[in-house]
Amino acid sequence: MTRTSAPVDAPATGAWEGLVTTALLGTDRRTPPGTGPGPEAPVALLDAAAVETVRRRAGLRPARAAERPQPAPEDPRPPLPQAAAHRLAVLLADRPGASGGGRRGTTPDLTELLPQWLAAANARGFAPPPQLLPALLDAARGRTDLRPAALEFAGPRALWLARLNQDWRFALRSTPGGGAALPHLDDDASIRQLWQEGLFAERVALLSALRSRDPAAARDLLATTWATERAEDRLMFLDSLRTGLGPDDEPFLEQALADRSRNVRATAAELLSSLPGSALAARMAVRAEACVAIDHMQPTQPTQDSPATGSTVATPTITVEAPHECDPGMERDGVVAKAPAGRGERSWWFGQLVEAAPLGTWSRRLGGRTPREIVALPVTDDWQGELHAAWCRAAVRQRDAEWSRALLGEPSAPEAGGPGAVSLAERAKLLGTLDAAERAEWVAGFIATHGLSEAFQLLGVCAVPWAPPLGRAVVDALNIARDAGSYPWSFSGVMGLAERCLDPSEAGRLDGLLAVPDEPENASPGAGGYWAEAFQRLVTTLRLRAAMTEELNTS
């Protein structure tokens, strides 16, 4: 037990205020107590203020003894190598420049390297130096994007500190369960007690942990209190079922389709539509099939391969008849009846039906064709955009790589650069269903054909570090832009991504781009110097990233 002190209830407040008033009025108009007018009055005022300051700071009364804080928990992870610990201190000490816009120069942006450093340290299972925990928590406090990785790296001692400092309380909220230790997942009694009595964050953490290990047990636990949970809590708990989602979850989700909350019903319907074998998916397939058909009688213009012979050539064409109403059954299955502003009701309903139908529906419905053949079919009455957009959402939801490839098409195709039936934002989501190598290859082909101006969204979904073909495509496109005399800040977003995502081994290939290039006649004034700075910063950053990795690998 230790004894703390409390401030004295002093008549000091009045004395201090009197000194402040004297200072504001001036000693010519009001002299300090015990001092007359004259040149000594200002000195006496300062002396009195100094004495009063010491008294206010040091004058304390004994207070009731308080409990000592519990010792910080041990962190069993191995400590960082010394060089890596020094690097972390440098990264945490760096602050963004206050200059706003303007030239960035050749200095790497260390704040953008901190997330990558944290990810690498976490992957290796290191513990942070205790003396850097305050700076690490301060960095995570100012940047929400850092928090998951920073708190994972900081470990249990960060939560200990967060309970002692209000500025770091976010760590308790950001960490599942607020830092409370979860019971052993084999301890049924403790699990049920925490589920019944725990705080909301603790219950979410418990359900998520249990779902990762035993999906059925997590679902059964949720079912015990489902009827009494608040709507917003039911929504969060239901979202946890995405982990390990499978056919066994269908009965519970079917019951949730009758929930009082529209958001809960919509989430349950979305999860069910992610299970192609579910009853809801089958119901949606029947509705969607009724809206889409093949018309073999649509005429086309004759071609060289099929010249006119007195009649036009017929080609299979997809026809669409959108639903005329949103009936109660559709609403129960998650179709939102009210269309957003600017959207027609029928197209709104139609898109939701197609999005929720299993993609295997369309090969059966459309003559046994493959996804690529189906996507290539013309669509009547300007329905192609709506139909393809719904197929895109279905492919992403159902993680169907074959349909994603069909909708993406060839990266060198003219429509891949837009506008086309599939937007760049939709293409980025479709790429997420492919493996990393295929994703990188497609984006590299897109950049080689269409350049960098439309590639930013696509690059953002590629695995880091970029695969060599993708890295080369980006560097080649930047070099072409430099030779054309464009200003580099037109490509600042891509350049920033390259600094974080390009493989550090590519640094040697960039040495030839560090010189100031000759500027063509139509070049923007001074562009060459800016490009030289940008490539110098890129090379320096890549070599710094290589050094960071080497430091973390040093035993």
Side-chain angles (χ1 to χ4, degrees):
M1 303 287 284
T2 58
R3 185 166 295 279
T4 61
S5 299
V8 177
D9 296 331
T13 302
W16 180 258
E17 289 179 352
L19 292 173
V20 172
T21 301
T22 300
L24 291 173
L25 293 174
T27 54
D28 291 338
R29 299 176 60 187
R30 176 173 173 172
T31 58
T35 306
E40 297 300 321
V43 177
L45 175 63
L46 294 175
D47 288 343
V51 171
E52 182 62 22
T53 298
V54 172
R55 196 201 71 78
R56 284 160 57 89
R57 291 177 178 174
L60 300 174
R61 287 179 177 171
R64 179 174 297 179
E67 295 267 346
R68 285 183 181 272
Q70 292 294 319
E74 293 296 324
D75 193 331
R77 298 173 295 177
L80 276 174
Q82 185 175 357
H86 176 71
R87 178 73 64 191
L88 175 61
V90 172
L91 294 175
L92 290 172
D94 189 70
R95 292 291 182 269
S99 59
R103 296 173 82 141
R104 290 180 55 197
T106 60
T107 304
D109 186 349
L110 298 186
T111 61
E112 291 301 321
L113 294 180
L114 183 55
Q116 193 169 105
W117 189 96
L118 288 170
N122 285 332
R124 291 162 174 78
F126 286 122
Q131 69 272 20
L132 293 182
L133 283 173
L136 185 62
L137 286 169
D138 282 340
R141 179 191 178 199
R143 288 181 58 180
T144 55
D145 63 307
L146 278 180
R147 289 183 183 177
L151 293 177
E152 179 186 350
F153 179 62
R157 290 176 175 174
L159 301 175
W160 181 83
L161 285 172
R163 296 187 183 98
L164 302 175
N165 187 332
Q166 287 289 341
D167 289 345
W168 300 330
R169 298 290 290 182
F170 72 87
L172 302 180
R173 297 189 300 270
S174 302
T175 302
L182 294 176
H184 195 281
L185 296 183
D186 291 330
D187 187 348
D188 293 339
S190 297
I191 285 176
R192 290 193 174 275
Q193 182 179 4
L194 181 58
W195 182 250
Q196 295 286 344
E197 302 173 5
L199 300 173
F200 175 69
E202 293 171 336
R203 300 176 73 211
V204 170
L206 174 64
L207 190 64
S208 299
L210 190 59
R211 182 71 179 177
S212 298
R213 174 173 169 174
D214 189 344
R219 184 186 62 248
D220 293 343
L221 182 67
L222 177 57
T224 62
T225 60
W226 179 259
T228 60
E229 303 287 357
R230 300 183 306 166
E232 55 267 34
D233 293 351
R234 293 199 303 276
L235 183 62
M236 289 290 292
F237 293 143
L238 192 63
D239 200 60
S240 70
L241 299 187
R242 295 182 190 277
T243 301
L245 183 68
D248 290 343
D249 296 314
E250 184 178 356
F252 181 86
L253 294 172
E254 275 284 346
Q255 292 180 0
L257 290 176
D259 196 88
R260 302 183 301 275
S261 166
R262 183 179 69 181
N263 290 334
V264 171
R265 295 195 302 271
T267 301
E270 179 194 345
L271 293 174
L272 283 167
S273 67
S274 300
L275 299 172
S278 68
L280 179 138
R283 295 193 296 270
M284 288 299 201
V286 171
R287 294 172 180 131
E289 285 179 325
C291 299
V292 178
I294 284 282
D295 183 354
H296 291 275
M297 301 304 295
Q298 291 291 325
T300 61
Q301 295 298 320
T303 65
Q304 288 183 346
D305 295 330
S306 55
T309 58
S311 63
T312 57
V313 179
T315 186
T317 301
I318 294 177
T319 61
V320 172
E321 180 65 28
H324 291 271
E325 65 173 343
C326 182
D327 59 45
M330 290 167 61
E331 288 196 64
R332 182 185 181 277
D333 285 345
V335 176
V336 178
K338 186 176 181 180
R343 288 289 303 272
E345 283 186 332
R346 296 181 65 199
S347 65
W348 171 244
W349 301 331
F350 171 73
Q352 293 178 80
L353 296 181
V354 174
E355 175 183 357
L359 287 164
T361 300
W362 304 111
S363 181
R364 296 191 305 270
R365 177 63 172 163
L366 303 177
R369 292 176 171 84
T370 65
R372 193 175 293 275
E373 291 170 338
I374 292 171
V375 169
L377 291 173
V379 184
T380 60
D381 299 330
D382 297 324
W383 280 103
Q384 186 185 53
E386 190 71 53
L387 181 60
H388 283 212
W391 279 337
C392 286
R393 296 192 297 273
V396 172
R397 181 181 296 185
Q398 298 171 36
R399 309 299 297 173
D400 191 308
E402 184 180 8
W403 267 89
S404 293
R405 294 186 192 101
L407 291 160
L408 282 165
E410 295 299 325
S412 58
E415 61 271 15
V422 179
S423 69
L424 282 170
E426 290 166 336
R427 291 180 192 278
K429 293 177 182 177
L430 292 169
L431 284 167
T433 68
L434 308 180
D435 64 49
E438 188 175 0
R439 207 180 313 162
E441 182 181 2
W442 197 95
V443 177
F446 179 94
I447 292 171
T449 303
H450 305 286
L452 287 172
S453 58
E454 302 293 342
F456 188 79
Q457 292 181 79
L458 307 179
L459 287 169
V461 300
C462 292
V464 177
W466 288 336
L470 177 57
R472 287 192 292 271
V474 171
V475 171
D476 290 345
L478 288 171
N479 193 23
I480 291 171
R482 182 190 72 151
D483 291 344
S486 303
Y487 272 130
W489 54 72
S490 301
F491 302 90
S492 59
V494 174
M495 187 67 80
L497 276 178
E499 291 172 14
R500 299 189 296 275
C501 304
L502 199 62
D503 194 312
S505 64
E506 296 289 314
R509 293 184 57 247
L510 300 174
D511 286 338
L513 303 176
L514 302 183
V516 178
D518 296 330
E519 296 182 359
E521 293 182 2
N522 59 345
S524 302
Y530 282 89
W531 275 110
E533 285 184 0
F535 278 117
Q536 180 65 65
R537 183 175 61 252
L538 175 58
V539 170
T540 304
T541 302
L542 293 178
R543 288 181 172 147
L544 179 56
R545 284 175 51 210
M548 286 166 39
T549 301
E550 184 177 351
E551 292 161 358
L552 286 166
N553 290 336
T554 303
S555 58

